[in-house]
Each structure stands twice: as structure tokens, then as C-alpha cells.
DNA sequence: AAATGCTATGTAACCGGTTACATAACAATG
DNA sequence: CATTGTTATGTAACCGGTTACATAGCATTT
């Protein structure tokens, strides 16, 4: 039972019945008037709008969702992303979503898969579709976890789940950097790989190997296991130098390891790019400052495209799936261009 | 027995009535069993749980929200933040929210205030409370825009809205950097201010002026208007140098302008920190790489605390407001501390 | 004038949950 | 044995919207 004693601040919001009462109309007419149905007399509609405004009436989203079986919200489940990755993707999503009158229900994909499953099922009735980014989840696990009744768009996730899947073209990115290194005369390139249970790490490594095999089958294509962490880049390169290994280019699976590599090189007095060139992947903001040649992906674009694809599936039940590759872009900077690396030192 | 014959895509999710039918119980008993009410026979509860699992039943959030007048979701309205700002704050929020079984409904505060108002009202019935960060909105505008019926926690927003307000202690941050600069012997400090219609920009400038007036009333305290952008930092310092102005420290209102200043100094051959010291504010990830002395705020902590405060207000209608100042932390790095030994001046 | 159609509005069912209240079965008490 | 209390379950109202269907009023057609 509701308390009658209430302070102004907690005034219960007006419902459609309040508006109906205040206009001497039925709730049906009010609903029709506010939703722009055609069979409402103009002056009636005006009366309704006036009253709604006066009472500060805002439709209750839960009631609306229940009745329409539509929430006008999409669920977003992302892994533990940092910095620009997260903010740019979400920014792109928010742009499209709010443009189309949808809202974003956000949930981090906690490492724990059961938690993730729980987060997703908690969205039942709350969202009209799901955008899932799960670069480290297995195909089988995903199948089990994803609700069968909702449209889903995946980002950078395992293939074959039967849902739209936007994927960053890691192979092409790796190929572009390899091409660039070869074009600038490098002959001994070392790839520092990312975690291999991560789809990006895996594809970038494979992309590197494929590019080397195609473009320079005669050259060595060394691969060293890494894990995306800066310190690992440093450690691996320091080790290479200590071993007296011969190499004139480091091709890292992401920017952080590339930056780590730069540190190790600098500490050892190796001149970049004269003695050794370095490339990364991702184009994090730091990359620009460190003049790192890298591969850029339009993250906001990915987010925007994911939402567009999802809304299309939602609004047109049998829209074809959009399983596109997102083309990355090569950004050439000082760590490969002998132009002179003006930064750092 | 599973139904093998069904097109996976259109399987309507099971409702509580399906579970009731399948167990020969009433929906009331099912509801009670699943919600852990005490007046349910253990074997009945077991039967219900088994059936729910078998049917893949998940309660419909909209129906639940409507009936309980509780959504277990909180709305988050943020300005157009970038990178770590956004991701860290949201990460902190998500941590606490998912821990307490709440979800986050996200909306960017689009520059346009009407859009923001619209976004907020669209949340009626969808969220139990709101977290709003509006460093650039006026007090009056906020009053109009915020729904009167929902608990609200503000972050870094104008005072006096009558809601909890977590604020970053910009004055203290500015004071700490000033203290540090003075302690290392600087005598001619220039503050590059942020946008003055932004609460942070305004408070940092005022904090700088107050600190100077208190700690070193005899020293000049020059302030130049800026706008938080890196290029502006560069331009202003280049201008200072061109004018032959005398200064031995740049006290910038944020890291980006400080980095811009560093660029200008380096280009002019001015040695940092020997000739000129530089401080920033925010401790963006780049700051560490550029060895920038700055002021750090635990953003994830701010987000977490905001959610905690909000949930408290939600669950205990008359919990006291939590209008705390978030204490920042001074991070001393190379742009103020000579790497080898402090210079005597 | 009666039949027909169209328009604006009202009535009530429904969406899928929760829960106050009613009830039936059984146990404990006088 | 009648009374009372306790426990497990069912019935139905309710949350706040939307909308199929019914209806009343009026205009048009025959």
C-alpha cells in the first residue's frame, strides 16, 4: 500500500489514467492521441497533449515494453576493455542507438562465463537484441549462453554461431604491416604474438605467417609467443638482444607489446627505425605519441555498425546477416619510416 | 523430453504460466517457489525449479519491473568523455552494480540539453535511480531536467540541486601541484586554464589562484585562458616563449594541455624540468609515458562510489545524502623532478 | 426512411509477473 | 468433538500501458 504522507520530492509520477481523468477521456483515447494514431480529433489530441504536459506525464517504459513486447533497448556485453577500446566502441553504439530511439543496457563480460550467462539472461524482457563481443569465449560456450529467442550481433567472436558477426580483419592488418616492412627493406622480421586463446591474437599471428609465406617465402618468419602486455614486449626483445639474435624488424600483435619492445631497444641503444623497425596493432592514443607505426581500426564505426545491423534484424525479422570484415588502415609513423623519429629519446 | 521439432529462431520464451502448467501448480506458487518465499513445501519448490530449468524459464524483466515498481537498473548519463575517463568510471560502476544485482542503462549526455532531457525521461520506469555527470550544465537547467520522482546522484556537477553530489576536489589538486612546484623552487608559475564554463576548468583555475595567494602571495600568479585541448597548450606556450615571457613552471588545467606545452618547450629547446617544470591534471595513461607530473583521481572509485550511494538512497529512502569530495593524489614524475638531482635555484 | 459507412471514442482483455486474501487440509487445543 | 491455528496452495486483483472490438453519432447512399 502506498504511503499518503509524502514529501514533494517523491511525488508519484502521473500515469496515463491521470491524464485520462484530467481530460474526461478514456485511457485508450489518450494512448492513441499520444502515439499519433490517425483516428483522433485534432482538438482532442491537443487537449491530451496539453494535459500530459501539465501533469508531467511520461509513459512508463516497463508497462510499454510488456504490452508491446518491445523495449527499444539493446543489451551490450563487452569484455574487460580499457580506454579507447571501450569508449570508442560504446560511443559509436550510443550514436546510432540514440539516433534510432534505442537505449543501451551495458554489461561487462566478466571473465567468469556463468556470470556472463547470468548477465545475459537478466536482460530477458529488457532488451530487443544483444550485441556480444567475446574474443576469448569458445564457440560451444557461446552457443549455450546466448538466448535463443533474441537477435544477436557478435563482434570479433568465433565464427559459426549463426549470428551476424562483425570481425576486424586481423589478417589484412598483419599483411599490411608485413608489406610495409618488406617495402622498406626489412629482411628479418620477428612477430611477437598475442595470447593464442584470444581470437585477435590468433588471427594476427596467422596473418603474419600467411603474409610472410606469400610475400617473402625465402625470408625467415620468426614467431615468439606473447600475451599482449607491455612488459612482455620488453622482456622478449631484451632476450632477443641478449641472445644476439639477428633481426631488423619487430612486428608486434598489439601496440602495448610494441611499446614494450621500443623500451627494450632504446635501453639497449638500438636505433629505431635505422637498426630495427617496429610495428604495432590497434593505434591506441599512445601510439601517436610514440610515433609507432601501427594498424588502425575505426572502433566507433564498429560499434555503430553493430547497432545498425542489430536494429535491422530486430525490425525486419529476416534481414540477411551481416558478417562483414572491418577493414583496418595502416598508419605509418616514425618507428618504421626512416624519416627521423622526432619523439622520445 | 525435449522438443526436437522447432525452428530455433522463433521459440517464444517460456512464461511463468508455462511453468505452472507443467507442474500442475498455480502461477502464485511458482512465483513463490522461485523467489524463495518460506511458505512453499521443499519438494514443491524442487519440482518448480526443475521445471523452470527444463523449460529454460527466465522471468520477464518488464513484467517484473511493472509489478514490483522496481527495475533493478540504474541510469547513467555521462557527457562526451574519452578514453580512460569513460571506461574507468563505467568500470567502477559496473563492478558495484553487477555485484548488487543491478544493471546499467547508459546514455551519453549529448551536448544538446533537450536531447539529454529526452534521454532521461525515456528512462522512466526503466531505472530505479539516476547517476548524472554534468560538468557543463547550469544549475537551473539541471533542476528542470532531472525527474523529480527518482533518486539521483550527481558527479562533479553544480552544487545545490539537493541531490548527492560526488565532486573531485579540484581545489586540493591544484593546491598540491602548486605546493610541489614551490617546494622544488619554482618562482614564476603560469596556469593554463581549462574552459571556464566547465566546472573542473573553473575550479582548477580558482584553486590555483587560491593556492598561490595563500602559499606564495609575493610571487606572480599568471593565468592564461585555455580550453583543455592539446594544441592550445602548444600554442600558448609557444606564444609565451615568443614573447620572451619569464616563467619557470607551467601549471596546466589538464594533462592534454600539459603535453601540448611539453611539445612547445621541446621544440624550442627548453629543457624540462631544468629550465621549466610542467604539471598536468587527470593522470591520463599518456602522462606516465611522458613522465608528466600530474594529479590522479581514482575514476573507477568515483564510479563505484556513485553507484553505492545511489543504491543506498534507493533501498533506504531516507539515507543521508553523500556529497563528498573525492581526494586526488599527486603523482610526481620527470617533468618536475630532475631525474638525477634536484637543481638548486 | 432505412441501410450503410465512416469517424471518434469507450470497454475490456491482455502482456507476465507479484501478492493480498481466500481456502482447504490437517494438527493442536480445550 | 468442536474450535482454533498453521501451513501450503489457489484465486484474482493489480502494476501501466496498448489495442481488438463494440458502440454511438453523423453523413451518405438507395
Amino acid at each position: 500500500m502506498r504511503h499518503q504522507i509524502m514529501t514533494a520530492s517523491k511525488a508519484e509520477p502521473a500515469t496515463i489514467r491521470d491524464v485520462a481523468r484530467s481530460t474526461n477521456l478514456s485511457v485508450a483515447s489518450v494512448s492513441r492521441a499520444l502515439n499519433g494514431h490517425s483516428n483522433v480529433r485534432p482538438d482532442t489530441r491537443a487537449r491530451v497533449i496539453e494535459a500530459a504536459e501539465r501533469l508531467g506525464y511520461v509513459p512508463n517504459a516497463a508497462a510499454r515494453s510488456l504490452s508491446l513486447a518491445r523495449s527499444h533497448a539493446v543489451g551490450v556485453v563487452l569484455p574487460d576493455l580499457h580506454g579507447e577500446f571501450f569508449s570508442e566502441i560504446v560511443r559509436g553504439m550510443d550514436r546510432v542507438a540514440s539516433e534510432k530511439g534505442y537505449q543501451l543496457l551495458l554489461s561487462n563480460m566478466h571473465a567468469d562465463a556463468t556470470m556472463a550467462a547470468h548477465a545475459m539472461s537478466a536482460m530477458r524482457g529488457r532488451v530487443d537484441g544483444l550485441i556480444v563481443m567475446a574474443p576469448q569465449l569458445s564457440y560451444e560456450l557461446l552457443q549455450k549462453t546466448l538466448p535463443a529467442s533474441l537477435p544477436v550481433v557478435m563482434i570479433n567472436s568465433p565464427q559459426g554461431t549463426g549470428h551476424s558477426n562483425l570481425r576486424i580483419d586481423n589478417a589484412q592488418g598483419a599483411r599490411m604491416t608485413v608489406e610495409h616492412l618488406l617495402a622498406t627493406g626489412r629482411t628479418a622480421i620477428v612477430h611477437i604474438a598475442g595470447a593464442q586463446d584470444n581470437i585477435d591474437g590468433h588471427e594476427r599471428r596467422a596473418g603474419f605467417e600467411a603474409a610472410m609465406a606469400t610475400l617473402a617465402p625465402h625470408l625467415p618468419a620468426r614467431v615468439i609467443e606473447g600475451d599482449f602486455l607491455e612488459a612482455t614486449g620488453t622482456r622478449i626483445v631484451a632476450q632477443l638482444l641478449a641472445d644476439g639474435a639477428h633481426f631488423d624488424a619487430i612486428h608486434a600483435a598489439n601496440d602495448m607489446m610494441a611499446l614494450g619492445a621500443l623500451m627494450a631497444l632504446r635501453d639497449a641503444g638500438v636505433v629505431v627505425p635505422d637498426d630495427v623497425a617496429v610495428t604495432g596493432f590497434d593505434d591506441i592514443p599512445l601510439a601517436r605519441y610514440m610515433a609507432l607505426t601501427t594498424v588502425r581500426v575505426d572502433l566507433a564505426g564498429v560499434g555503430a555498425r553493430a547497432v545498425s545491423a542489430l536494429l535491422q534484424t530486430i525490425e525486419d525479422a529476416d534481414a540477411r546477416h551481416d558478417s562483414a570484415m572491418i577493414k583496418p588502415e595502416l598508419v605509418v609513423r616514425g618507428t618504421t619510416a626512416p624519416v627521423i623519429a622526432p619523439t622520445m629519446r
Side-chain angles (χ1 to χ4, degrees), chain A:
Chain A
M1 288 301 113
R2 305 238 173 97
H3 288 264
Q4 288 303 339
I5 325 148
M6 47 175 60
T7 59
S9 65
K10 18 154 87 166
E12 290 295 326
T15 74
I16 196 174
R17 282 164 234 271
D18 296 327
V19 179
R21 201 169 307 128
S22 146
T23 51
N24 286 320
L25 287 166
S26 69
V27 292
S29 291
V30 173
S31 175
R32 282 186 289 249
L34 292 176
N35 288 313
H37 289 215
S38 60
N39 50 350
V40 175
R41 267 201 357 242
D43 60 320
T44 305
R45 190 190 307 278
R47 246 166 74 217
V48 169
I49 291 176
E50 182 277 328
E53 212 133 272
R54 180 162 42 77
L55 298 174
Y57 168 70
V58 177
N60 179 309
R64 213 150 201 268
S65 301
L66 182 56
S67 165
L68 293 175
R70 264 314 193 68
S71 63
H72 273 254
V74 311
V76 176
V77 182
L78 296 177
D80 238 325
L81 298 174
H82 284 265
E84 302 289 319
F85 275 81
F86 182 76
S87 65
E88 284 303 300
I89 289 192
V90 173
R91 182 192 315 289
M93 290 180 174
D94 182 82
R95 215 198 61 225
V96 176
S98 76
E99 200 170 89
K100 305 274 178 118
Y102 277 73
Q103 300 197 285
L104 295 183
L105 193 64
L106 200 71
S107 179
N108 266 29
M109 166 86 85
H110 309 273
D112 185 358
T114 32
M115 286 286 291
H118 180 265
M120 287 193 197
S121 61
M123 289 183 171
R124 149 98 205 272
R126 228 184 258 275
V127 300
D128 296 334
L130 234 40
I131 294 179
V132 178
M133 178 161 175
Q136 82 296 356
L137 250 55
S138 81
Y139 165 68
E140 293 79 15
L141 197 53
L142 271 176
Q143 285 294 60
K144 257 198 283 280
T145 308
L146 289 174
S149 51
L150 279 184
V152 175
V153 168
M154 321 268 304
I155 299 179
N156 238 31
S157 301
Q159 290 286 72
T161 51
H163 298 114
S164 296
N165 195 355
L166 300 184
R167 299 172 55 229
I168 291 171
D169 198 338
N170 286 306
Q172 162 133 358
R175 184 192 174 96
M176 290 190 308
T177 37
V178 168
E179 253 170 10
H180 173 63
L181 288 172
L182 292 172
T184 52
R186 308 295 164 168
T187 56
I189 308 176
V190 177
H191 176 69
I192 304 183
Q196 291 300 300
D197 58 348
N198 178 297
I199 194 173
D200 291 315
H202 185 77
E203 290 183 358
R204 288 172 192 180
R205 177 217 185 110
F208 169 77
E209 288 170 340
M212 288 301 289
T214 311
L215 301 172
H218 52 291
L219 292 183
R222 185 162 176 191
V223 171
I224 303 179
E225 292 275 327
D227 58 4
F228 287 136
L229 299 181
E230 179 185 357
T232 307
T234 305
R235 182 172 48 70
I236 287 174
V237 170
Q239 189 62 50
L240 281 173
L241 291 171
D243 294 352
H246 168 66
F247 62 96
D248 60 8
I250 296 290
H251 181 272
N254 73 340
D255 286 351
M256 290 311 289
M257 291 196 298
L259 293 177
L262 280 179
M263 298 280 199
L265 293 171
R266 189 182 58 197
D267 289 354
V270 177
V271 180
V272 175
D274 304 33
D275 301 333
V276 172
V278 176
T279 66
F281 207 118
D282 292 339
D283 196 28
I284 61 177
L286 262 172
R288 187 165 62 87
Y289 279 81
M290 305 300 285
L292 176 66
T293 290
T294 186
V295 174
R296 188 179 129 65
V297 175
D298 174 15
L299 294 171
V302 171
R305 184 151 174 190
V307 173
S308 294
L310 183 62
L311 295 189
Q312 208 143 21
T313 324
I314 289 173
E315 271 153 27
D316 171 10
D318 33 42
R320 83 255 167 272
H321 285 186
D322 175 5
S323 287
M325 283 291 195
I326 308 283
K327 294 289 169 225
E329 178 192 348
L330 181 68
V331 183
V332 177
R333 297 206 183 95
T335 58
T336 59
V339 194
I340 269 183
T343 346
M344 278 322 284
R345 198 48 270 276

